[in-house]
Amino acid sequence: MSIATEGPVRDRLTELAEIKALAVGGPDDKATARQHAKGKLTARERIDLLLDEGSFQEIEALRRHRATGFGLEDKRPYTDGVITGWGTVHGRTVFVYAHDFRIFGGALGEAHAAKIHKVMDLALAAGAPLVSLNDGAGARIQEGVTALAGYGGIFQRNTKASGVIPQISVMLGPCAGGAAYSPALTDFVFMVRETSQMFITGPDVVKAVTGEEITQNGLGGADVHATVSGVAAFAYDDEATCLEDVRYLLSLLPSNNRETAPRQLSQDPARRPTESLREIVPANANQAYDIRAVIEEIVDDGEYFEIQPGWATNVVCALVRLDGHVTGVVANQPSAFAGVLDIHASEKAARFVQFCDAFCIPLVTLVDVPGFLPGVDQEHGGIIRHGAKLLYAYCNATVPRIQLILRKAYGGAYIVMDSRSIGADVSLAWPSNEIAVMGAEGAANVIFRREIAAADDPDAVRARKIKEYQSELMHPYYAAERGLVDDVIDPAETRSALIGALAMLRSKYADTPSRKHGNPPV
């Protein structure tokens, strides 16, 4: 439409309304129908689902690109393919940008990037979370290197905001090449099955270079990243469910690193006995059980939000509430690989610990670990380096930290799972705890190897030595007698003991060495 340069205010207002209608309406109804036909919502429909009703305040809706060549000068739609602004989620300010796939396929150009840069800068200045709704075709090829520079500006801002404000990426369409690195720099990645994909090089390039044939979803779909690569924290069947969980996650997080997460009181008594824990966890240290049943019994109203539930399932990371206060839980999962720590479990738990520490969320660690996973693949894959990530994360954390040993805690894995020796503020244990360098059978075979081999009845001697080792070094009060466990408690007292310790630590202040930053293993 042509822009009037003269006329009464009423005409100008009419013209403004028409321009804004174009900006809000998007290209045309056919483009919207094509988006819906793919099972995808439009950018504005997604924002409406994410934010509280009527709270969205858009910025730069009238922005248009100024590029020329390749026909771009004749295509200058308002918004330039990205919707930016802020609103509220459960009454708290949240910033958002959403790619509009109907315009240039959501591809990023100079003006598009500038809008994202501005909303990211505003989020950091205001100290409020940033949510990106990603549905774009990558860099706008017609704009060349300026498009690539736009991505660089996003990456730099992602890094600057890391640990200062929560950053959440929601993948609702394709995300290829360098565009995939912005989500990877954020705190949490949500994906929707079938419609969202992430990869650095697509199936065509993979086939050309390696000869492998694979679909987009097989290469970088939601389930691949939620269960194999660990890139995605969550995968959903539809956008509405996905965005509802984004809202729920935001309700558990502080707005920034200078605040605490909002408290939400419940009718669940702080001193409620947890007697069922006596039965949930088997006395036999080799018998599996689901640690999530323990978490449900301990936390307020049995509610918890598990992070990366489909990846590295031998460790569980979850956000919960204890007496209304948000708390991070890290727990070994005996029902998956006996709860051993391996490369992926170490990475998963380390990143979660770092996130909680960055945003002042206390940590509770539930320990039932037989050790690190042995094997050539693990050693050659760098289990030493990856395991050190979790060790570094705990040692570096200054938030309140409570360790609870349920059953076995063997070797280096005991140390790494937030033991007193690496800085846990409070260490508790159940009477079923077994803390040792290794299991009794393995220890006896090493210590008494010659005596067992020389015996007339090696099996009888081995059994006697195993029992002797257990009674001397693995009884439930051995660590408590040496001050490495603060108290051995009845499982029925678990909830009240954890809440009491967290209340005591709420004003914890930890002075850290003066340094630019550490050098963690990566």
Side-chain angles (χ1 to χ4, degrees):
M1 63 176 290
S2 60
I3 306 295
T5 57
E6 297 180 2
V9 173
R10 190 181 302 277
D11 292 343
R12 291 294 182 88
L13 292 176
T14 300
E15 181 182 67
L16 174 62
E18 292 173 354
I19 292 173
K20 288 198 170 183
L22 284 174
V24 172
D28 55 51
D29 292 339
K30 291 182 179 179
T32 300
R34 287 193 296 270
Q35 183 81 347
H36 288 165
K38 297 175 183 176
K40 301 197 296 184
L41 300 174
T42 66
R44 294 185 186 277
E45 289 169 340
R46 291 163 174 164
I47 290 173
D48 287 343
L49 285 176
L50 173 67
L51 301 178
D52 296 338
E53 185 176 355
S55 68
F56 182 53
Q57 300 291 314
E58 188 171 356
I59 57 173
E60 295 201 0
L62 306 186
R63 186 86 180 237
R64 299 197 290 180
H65 74 76
R66 55 188 177 184
T68 58
F70 306 101
L72 283 179
E73 63 271 17
D74 299 322
K75 297 177 182 178
R76 300 181 63 233
Y78 293 110
T79 74
D80 200 50
V82 64
I83 314 300
T84 57
W86 73 89
T88 59
V89 173
H90 302 300
R92 299 162 64 217
T93 299
V94 172
F95 287 80
V96 61
Y97 68 86
H99 298 128
D100 191 341
F101 195 83
R102 301 172 303 166
I103 298 175
F104 298 128
L108 182 139
E110 181 187 27
H112 184 119
K115 290 182 65 175
I116 295 175
H117 295 169
K118 177 176 280 190
V119 80
M120 295 179 80
D121 290 341
L122 283 173
L124 191 58
L130 174 70
V131 178
S132 62
L133 306 179
N134 298 271
D135 185 7
R140 196 173 300 171
I141 299 172
Q142 301 94 319
E143 295 195 30
V145 70
T146 56
L148 297 179
Y151 274 123
I154 293 173
F155 304 157
Q156 191 268 345
R157 287 169 172 81
N158 283 138
T159 304
K160 185 178 179 181
S162 182
V164 181
I165 58 172
Q167 299 180 83
I168 297 173
S169 297
V170 188
M171 314 312 296
L172 301 166
C175 184
Y181 282 116
S182 176
L185 289 169
T186 60
D187 299 306
F188 301 100
V189 175
F190 289 70
M191 294 189 73
V192 175
R193 296 183 177 92
E194 301 303 323
T195 57
S196 67
Q197 302 88 27
M198 296 175 67
F199 37 70
I200 299 300
T201 54
D204 293 341
V205 176
V206 170
K207 182 179 179 180
V209 174
T210 70
E212 298 172 287
E213 292 191 19
I214 193 167
T215 64
Q216 287 193 348
N217 281 319
L219 181 63
D223 286 324
V224 168
H225 287 309
T227 63
V228 180
S229 73
V231 170
F234 312 98
Y236 298 88
D237 291 329
D238 60 85
E239 294 188 14
T241 305
C242 175
L243 292 170
E244 184 58 36
D245 263 10
V246 174
R247 286 175 56 86
Y248 182 57
L249 174 58
L250 286 167
S251 75
L252 293 166
L253 303 180
S255 292
N256 55 66
N257 65 342
R258 300 181 303 277
E259 299 181 6
T260 56
R263 187 182 185 191
Q264 181 176 302
L265 293 176
S266 76
Q267 300 301 311
D268 196 348
R271 295 188 173 277
R272 168 175 56 81
T274 49
E275 295 176 359
S276 66
L277 293 181
R278 296 170 178 168
E279 308 299 328
I280 291 174
V281 180
N284 181 352
N286 295 320
Q287 187 174 341
Y289 65 94
D290 192 340
I291 193 66
R292 290 172 294 192
V294 174
I295 295 172
E296 285 181 12
E297 179 64 16
I298 293 171
V299 304
D300 292 358
D301 304 310
E303 293 184 4
Y304 65 95
F305 192 62
E306 187 173 355
I307 310 299
Q308 294 182 300
W311 184 64
T313 55
N314 39 329
V315 68
V316 172
C317 299
L319 292 170
V320 307
R321 282 192 171 92
L322 285 166
D323 195 28
H325 296 279
V326 175
T327 304
V329 172
V330 178
N332 304 115
Q333 175 58 292
S335 68
F337 307 108
V340 296
L341 288 176
D342 61 3
I343 288 172
H344 288 162
S346 298
E347 288 186 323
K348 173 180 172 178
R351 183 159 172 80
F352 182 72
V353 168
Q354 288 177 164
F355 175 81
C356 290
D357 186 51
F359 290 101
C360 307
I361 298 173
L363 286 161
V364 170
T365 303
L366 306 180
V367 184
D368 192 346
V369 62
F372 281 93
L373 181 64
V376 174
D377 288 345
Q378 288 289 306
E379 296 294 345
H380 288 185
I383 185 61
I384 295 172
R385 175 168 52 86
H386 293 288
K389 293 178 183 179
L390 181 55
L391 182 60
Y392 189 100
Y394 269 125
C395 289
N396 200 48
T398 59
V399 292
R401 292 156 49 189
I402 301 174
Q403 179 196 50
L404 174 62
I405 302 167
L406 311 185
R407 292 194 308 187
K408 54 190 177 295
Y410 295 161
Y414 152 69
I415 301 172
V416 170
M417 290 297 290
D418 205 19
S419 64
R420 280 299 301 272
S421 60
I422 65 169
D425 298 294
V426 175
S427 179
L428 304 172
W430 287 356
S432 52
N433 81 82
E434 294 181 0
I435 307 172
V437 175
M438 62 177 66
E441 185 172 344
N445 285 336
V446 172
I447 298 172
F448 307 107
R449 180 177 64 253
R450 293 180 180 176
E451 188 175 342
I452 292 171
D456 294 334
D457 187 350
D459 291 339
V461 173
R462 181 183 293 107
R464 186 171 68 254
K465 293 301 182 181
I466 289 173
K467 189 173 182 180
E468 178 182 330
Y469 184 85
Q470 287 175 323
S471 64
E472 289 292 327
L473 296 177
M474 293 183 65
H475 64 79
Y477 311 107
Y478 185 86
E481 290 172 357
R482 286 152 181 80
L484 296 173
V485 166
D486 293 298
D487 198 9
V488 179
I489 63 171
D490 182 339
E493 301 170 359
T494 301
R495 174 174 163 84
S496 59
L498 291 176
I499 288 174
L502 287 169
M504 176 271 294
L505 290 166
R506 197 150 292 130
S507 59
K508 174 185 175 183
Y509 174 77
D511 197 12
T512 56
S514 177
R515 60 182 176 182
K516 186 175 181 180
H517 57 73
N519 184 26
V522 294

